[in-house]
Amino acid sequence: MSRSTQRPAPPRRQRTEDRRPQIADAALRILASKGAAHLTAAELGREVGIADSTIFRHYRDMDEVVLAGIDRVRALLDQTFPPPEDPPLARLRALFLGRLALMHEHPAVLRLASSDRLEQVAGPEGARRLRETILRSRRYIEACLREAQARGEIPAQLDATVLGWMVRGTLQVAVASTAGPRSSESRTPEAVWEVVEALLRGARHHVTAGESP
Amino acid sequence: MSRSTQRPAPPRRQRTEDRRPQIADAALRILASKGAAHLTAAELGREVGIADSTIFRHYRDMDEVVLAGIDRVRALLDQTFPPPEDPPLARLRALFLGRLALMHEHPAVLRLASSDRLEQVAGPEGARRLRETILRSRRYIEACLREAQARGEIPAQLDATVLGWMVRGTLQVAVASTAGPRSSESRTPEAVWEVVEALLRGARHHVTAGESP
Amino acid sequence: MSRSTQRPAPPRRQRTEDRRPQIADAALRILASKGAAHLTAAELGREVGIADSTIFRHYRDMDEVVLAGIDRVRALLDQTFPPPEDPPLARLRALFLGRLALMHEHPAVLRLASSDRLEQVAGPEGARRLRETILRSRRYIEACLREAQARGEIPAQLDATVLGWMVRGTLQVAVASTAGPRSSESRTPEAVWEVVEALLRGARHHVTAGESP
Amino acid sequence: MSRSTQRPAPPRRQRTEDRRPQIADAALRILASKGAAHLTAAELGREVGIADSTIFRHYRDMDEVVLAGIDRVRALLDQTFPPPEDPPLARLRALFLGRLALMHEHPAVLRLASSDRLEQVAGPEGARRLRETILRSRRYIEACLREAQARGEIPAQLDATVLGWMVRGTLQVAVASTAGPRSSESRTPEAVWEVVEALLRGARHHVTAGESP
DNA sequence: CATGAATGAGATTTCATTCAT
DNA sequence: TATGAATGAAATCTCATTCAT
């Protein structure tokens, strides 16, 4: 996925403000395509088109680089929170589809976000920030579910927390199953969501007689 | 989580047959508690209580150590496949609960099983084996779901593949949410499964006439 | 023979172009003075005056270092081939004296050139290159001998190949006998060659009168 | 050349007196076939058919093993000294042919004997002993040559020391050229010696007719 | 701002050697 | 006598990071 070599050499001598996002993005790209073990200063420099030592002009640490990458991911994730005026299941749908699209476009997000134990990749501070972001998503999703339960759109007797796990888990596996290079069983995001929503709404089936609509 | 230092120095000089599983288990322990980056020969030796160089008497490579760990995991996972004579949802339930318990007991299993990009940790051969194991689970779960659909126990019109994602995803998040040291929102495994089964069966709610209150 | 410790710390921070030959030469020096077993990165770094890890900035491998050393030797050896317009025995003499001088000055050359089993020192590629160089010398010497035989300057009935062995062997032992620190029996290069040439030309001796049998 | 695997497992539990030569010979075999770098305790044990640690029951050191090997070589070399009552050139011939045959049969001898700088292989003590052996050969050869000169069989005006170098050098190169697996240019030992002797005796060639001066 | 040289810490692995069995 | 387990020293090589230019 990384096209380090073809990338046209960017103009050298850029300002730190310009370099920092370049580096952070490159870090995410490497993380996504080759994994944490390959995220070295040398590889990063190659990806950006600068010397490895130059990285430390713009970031103090490799840790700081990863942190910056995480913050970019967080920004992306935060953009997918739908407007609060929509009804709960619509918001949930928008979030689900948005995240699916996002992770499809930025595989590194998946790599980071789906890992609940990323102290190793991100250092304690990065882990803290990611956990916070995940927590926000969790709360958001649960709030939507509870609101939908209150409105009687989904069964109230089901534990909203566990329903939240279901939504998040399905999202994770869907991304993983769709994203991989060898995935033979991809589904459109909408199709996935429809199943989730059907489950939530209580898919009646043994449909007895003609009372379906 | 690793208690290397407190562990009372185990009797030195053991047979390879005994050492090999000790080392493989220690590797899994480290993987679970500190992550792949800390799975070094030195750390491993410390965990087992032997010198790092001694590891290479019992395993040729670090790769071989990880491979052995993976095989232990695979064996554990394989044990959780329920007997085939049970009805499909009962088998699914047993698998779900079994895996939840297993991953609770062996957190490394989760770490390995949920990692979609484990080439780095496990090397190509290890990745292949793990993928194979995961594939087997996926197929098993989907087969149960399809059988249940055929029996009319769960809605036939829902895409069984996506239902499988849901089951697996919920399992993953459930483990992650329950396992963590700071998890405030734990549920009993049975409670989690009941929600999943209710969803699958199509929890009718608003349904039946005027019984809303 | 290595004076690593006395050497006044050379100016640090040199360009790769300058470091590479320094390192290659140091490798040859160590090879000559302490043997292949002592040609380690640490020793090499000490000899050059840099850290061992710095070597791998300038060469990818230890193998590459040895290869570079071999190429220096090959260049030196190639310089000793005399101009082709001279008569054969003059060319042979020039080659003989040139190589004697060369090996005297660069003992490592001897160590490499006389080693018939240098795969271990040089790796397969290095061995190949060295063999090629040795083969060139062998061919050159034999060609000179054959030409001298054709001119009637040395006995034609003697096997030129074996004569070549004689020339090369004498050269080897002469170097070894002369070079060592404790050699009590040194001869000037010219004196050695004169004996060789006398042998080749067929040193008549008891000459006086016709009393041969 | 090493047939470690096919060798029929020798009876275990032998006395040290029996084991020691087995080990020493195995060391020479490895030295000859794979080079000094492969002469490790593990390899040695495999060659002999015992555990590596068992070696140190019979020899204190690896150095001692090599030393023992050297002594075996010395014994072999010493056996090739011809009886002193023969005429000098006959003795030289016998020595030459004997050594050629010996080194052909025991390539390790060549490896050791032709290396004048073997401190690395043999340690200081081994080097001392080998040097001593070489020195004895050198003296023997020179003595033969001087005696032949005194008898008028070879030119007296030629430096006997250098003649000795010639004889030894030719022997070395002859062995190396003949022994190698890819040697295309082998000669019978006798043929080689005849050239050497012809050279020593002063091969008159342009002979034709009486134009001697 | 940019770089290449340099470095020390650490990782894997090999090996001679010791020791309990 | 024999062995397998254990070990520390050393070798190669990687990597984040510093510094002079």
Side-chain angles (χ1 to χ4, degrees):
Chain A
M1 201 72 22
S2 135
R3 279 139 303 148
S4 33
T5 48
Q6 296 97 310
R7 204 178 305 283
R12 357 193 73 215
R13 281 251 162 199
Q14 307 196 18
R15 277 160 316 178
T16 292
E17 304 129 76
D18 298 337
R19 275 291 189 223
R20 284 178 63 99
Q22 285 176 24
I23 293 172
D25 282 344
L28 289 179
R29 235 156 28 226
I30 292 173
L31 215 53
S33 59
K34 313 195 184 159
H38 284 89
L39 182 52
T40 67
E43 191 92 11
L44 190 49
R46 213 172 304 133
E47 180 77 15
V48 179
I50 58 179
D52 52 354
S53 59
T54 305
I55 291 164
F56 301 96
R57 290 240 140 230
H58 304 288
Y59 288 100
R60 175 167 23 169
D61 260 351
M62 280 303 283
D63 273 11
E64 252 198 34
V65 174
V66 177
L67 226 54
I70 287 177
D71 282 343
R72 290 186 80 72
V73 166
R74 300 200 322 147
L76 288 171
L77 286 175
D78 284 353
Q79 286 171 8
T80 57
F81 283 113
E85 60 273 14
D86 289 350
L89 280 183
R91 292 204 321 266
L92 214 45
R93 176 178 196 273
L95 186 71
F96 193 93
L97 295 181
R99 297 249 156 135
L100 207 46
L102 174 63
M103 294 191 190
H104 221 267
E105 206 173 347
H106 298 270
V109 177
L110 166 67
R111 192 71 67 84
L112 285 171
S114 76
S115 158
D116 50 320
R117 282 296 196 82
L118 31 68
E119 269 85 0
Q120 9 284 345
V121 191
E125 172 59 14
R128 199 192 56 69
R129 293 197 198 165
L130 261 177
R131 247 196 312 274
E132 182 200 286
T133 300
I134 291 172
L135 184 61
R136 191 157 52 216
S137 297
R138 205 184 81 200
R139 292 231 173 97
Y140 186 92
I141 289 171
E142 284 187 29
C144 287
L145 289 166
R146 270 185 239 282
E147 196 179 328
Q149 285 181 322
R151 285 166 161 241
E153 290 170 358
I154 65 175
Q157 76 272 23
L158 297 182
D159 186 331
T161 296
V162 178
L163 290 182
W165 296 355
M166 185 277 269
V167 173
R168 285 157 56 212
T170 308
L171 182 58
Q172 270 181 34
V173 177
V175 172
S177 300
T178 312
R182 40 199 152 242
S183 85
S184 54
E185 44 157 27
S186 68
R187 299 287 183 275
T188 71
E190 285 78 12
V192 181
W193 170 253
E194 260 158 48
V195 174
V196 172
E197 185 169 346
L199 291 172
L200 285 174
R201 284 190 184 277
R204 257 149 320 142
H205 43 113
H206 39 324
V207 252
T208 42
E211 46 88 71
S212 53
Chain B
M1 204 68 16
S2 136
R3 285 135 302 144
S4 34
T5 46
Q6 297 95 306
R7 204 182 304 282
R12 0 191 70 225
R13 202 175 163 67
Q14 308 197 18
R15 280 163 311 179
T16 294
E17 304 143 71
D18 297 338
R19 275 293 189 223
R20 282 179 64 97
Q22 284 176 24
I23 293 172
D25 282 344
L28 290 179
R29 247 174 357 246
I30 292 173
L31 215 53
S33 60
K34 311 194 184 162
H38 285 88
L39 182 51
T40 69
E43 191 79 32
L44 194 48
R46 211 171 306 134
E47 180 76 16
V48 180
I50 58 180
D52 51 354
S53 61
T54 304
I55 290 164
F56 301 97
R57 277 242 154 228
H58 304 288
Y59 289 99
R60 188 207 319 258
D61 263 347
M62 281 303 283
D63 272 13
E64 251 198 34
V65 174
V66 177
L67 225 53
I70 287 177
D71 281 344
R72 303 217 99 206
V73 166
R74 296 192 335 138
L76 289 172
L77 286 174
D78 284 352
Q79 285 173 6
T80 56
F81 283 112
E85 59 273 13
D86 289 352
L89 280 183
R91 292 202 322 265
L92 214 46
R93 176 178 196 272
L95 185 71
F96 193 95
L97 295 180
R99 297 250 156 136
L100 207 45
L102 174 63
M103 295 192 190
H104 220 266
E105 205 171 348
H106 297 269
V109 176
L110 167 68
R111 190 68 68 89
L112 283 173
S114 73
S115 158
D116 53 317
R117 273 305 192 91
L118 31 68
E119 266 85 2
Q120 354 282 350
V121 192
E125 173 58 14
R128 198 192 58 67
R129 291 195 199 168
L130 260 178
R131 248 196 308 276
E132 184 202 284
T133 299
I134 292 172
L135 184 61
R136 192 157 53 221
S137 298
R138 206 184 78 199
R139 293 233 172 95
Y140 186 92
I141 290 172
E142 284 187 29
C144 288
L145 290 167
R146 271 183 239 280
E147 197 181 326
Q149 286 181 322
R151 285 167 160 239
E153 291 171 2
I154 64 176
Q157 77 272 21
L158 296 182
D159 186 332
T161 296
V162 179
L163 291 182
W165 296 356
M166 184 277 268
V167 174
R168 285 156 59 210
T170 308
L171 181 58
Q172 272 180 34
V173 178
V175 172
S177 299
T178 313
R182 39 200 153 239
S183 87
S184 53
E185 45 159 23
S186 68
R187 299 287 181 277
T188 73
E190 286 78 10
V192 180
W193 170 253
E194 259 159 48
V195 173
V196 171
E197 184 169 346
L199 291 173
L200 285 174
R201 285 190 185 275
R204 255 151 327 144
H205 41 119
H206 38 324
V207 259
T208 42
E211 48 87 72
S212 42
Chain C
M1 200 71 15
S2 134
R3 283 136 302 146
S4 34
T5 46
Q6 298 95 311
R7 206 183 302 282
R12 2 192 67 223
R13 209 183 154 62
Q14 307 196 19
R15 280 162 310 179
T16 294
E17 304 144 70
D18 298 338
R19 275 292 188 224
R20 282 178 64 97
Q22 284 175 25
I23 293 172
D25 283 343
L28 290 178
R29 239 161 19 232
I30 293 172
L31 215 53
S33 59
K34 311 193 184 160
H38 285 88
L39 182 52
T40 69
E43 190 80 31
L44 194 48
R46 211 171 306 134
E47 179 76 16
V48 179
I50 57 180
D52 52 353
S53 62
T54 304
I55 290 164
F56 301 98
R57 278 241 153 228
H58 303 289
Y59 288 99
R60 187 205 323 253
D61 265 347
M62 281 302 283
D63 272 13
E64 249 198 36
V65 174
V66 177
L67 226 53
I70 286 177
D71 281 344
R72 303 216 100 205
V73 165
R74 297 195 331 141
L76 290 171
L77 286 175
D78 284 353
Q79 286 172 5
T80 56
F81 282 113
E85 61 271 13
D86 289 351
L89 282 184
R91 286 190 342 252
L92 215 47
R93 178 179 195 271
L95 186 71
F96 193 95
L97 296 181
R99 298 252 156 132
L100 207 45
L102 174 63
M103 295 192 189
H104 220 266
E105 207 172 346
H106 299 268
V109 177
L110 167 68
R111 189 68 68 88
L112 283 172
S114 73
S115 157
D116 52 319
R117 272 306 192 91
L118 29 71
E119 267 85 1
Q120 352 281 352
V121 192
E125 172 59 13
R128 198 192 58 69
R129 291 195 198 168
L130 261 177
R131 249 198 306 277
E132 183 201 284
T133 300
I134 292 171
L135 184 62
R136 192 156 53 219
S137 298
R138 206 185 78 199
R139 292 231 172 98
Y140 187 92
I141 290 172
E142 283 187 30
C144 288
L145 289 168
R146 270 183 239 282
E147 196 180 327
Q149 285 181 320
R151 285 168 162 239
E153 291 170 2
I154 66 174
Q157 76 272 20
L158 297 181
D159 187 332
T161 297
V162 180
L163 291 182
W165 295 356
M166 184 277 268
V167 173
R168 284 155 58 210
T170 309
L171 181 58
Q172 271 181 34
V173 178
V175 172
S177 300
T178 313
R182 40 203 152 237
S183 87
S184 54
E185 43 158 26
S186 69
R187 299 287 182 276
T188 72
E190 285 78 10
V192 180
W193 170 253
E194 259 160 46
V195 174
V196 172
E197 184 170 345
L199 290 172
L200 285 173
R201 283 189 186 278
R204 260 149 320 139
H205 40 119
H206 38 324
V207 257
T208 42
E211 42 88 73
S212 53
Chain D
M1 203 72 21
S2 137
R3 279 137 304 146
S4 32
T5 48
Q6 297 95 310
R7 205 179 304 283
R12 355 194 73 215
R13 282 250 161 200
Q14 306 198 18
R15 279 160 315 179
T16 292
E17 305 129 73
D18 298 337
R19 276 291 189 221
R20 285 179 62 97
Q22 285 176 23
I23 293 172
D25 282 344
L28 290 179
R29 238 160 21 232
I30 292 172
L31 215 52
S33 60
K34 312 195 184 159
H38 285 89
L39 182 52
T40 68
E43 191 92 11
L44 190 49
R46 211 172 306 134
E47 180 78 16
V48 179
I50 58 179
D52 51 355
S53 59
T54 306
I55 291 164
F56 302 96
R57 290 241 138 230
H58 305 289
Y59 289 100
R60 174 167 25 165
D61 260 351
M62 281 301 284
D63 273 11
E64 252 199 34
V65 174
V66 177
L67 226 54
I70 288 177
D71 281 344
R72 288 186 82 72
V73 166
R74 298 198 325 144
L76 288 172
L77 286 174
D78 284 354
Q79 286 171 7
T80 56
F81 284 114
E85 59 272 14
D86 289 350
L89 280 184
R91 295 206 315 271
L92 214 47
R93 177 179 195 272
L95 185 71
F96 193 95
L97 295 181
R99 298 251 156 134
L100 208 46
L102 174 63
M103 294 192 189
H104 223 266
E105 208 172 345
H106 298 269
V109 177
L110 165 68
R111 193 70 67 85
L112 285 173
S114 75
S115 159
D116 50 320
R117 281 297 194 82
L118 31 69
E119 270 84 0
Q120 9 285 346
V121 192
E125 172 58 14
R128 200 192 54 69
R129 291 198 199 166
L130 259 178
R131 247 198 309 276
E132 182 201 286
T133 300
I134 291 171
L135 184 61
R136 191 156 54 217
S137 297
R138 205 183 80 200
R139 291 230 173 97
Y140 186 91
I141 289 171
E142 283 186 29
C144 288
L145 288 166
R146 272 184 239 282
E147 197 180 327
Q149 285 181 322
R151 284 165 162 242
E153 290 171 359
I154 64 174
Q157 76 273 22
L158 297 181
D159 186 331
T161 296
V162 179
L163 289 182
W165 295 356
M166 185 277 269
V167 172
R168 285 157 56 210
T170 308
L171 182 59
Q172 271 182 34
V173 178
V175 172
S177 301
T178 312
R182 39 198 152 243
S183 87
S184 54
E185 45 158 25
S186 68
R187 300 285 183 276
T188 72
E190 287 78 11
V192 180
W193 170 253
E194 259 159 46
V195 173
V196 172
E197 184 169 346
L199 290 172
L200 285 174
R201 283 190 185 276
R204 257 152 320 144
H205 43 114
H206 37 327
V207 254
T208 41
E211 43 89 76
S212 45

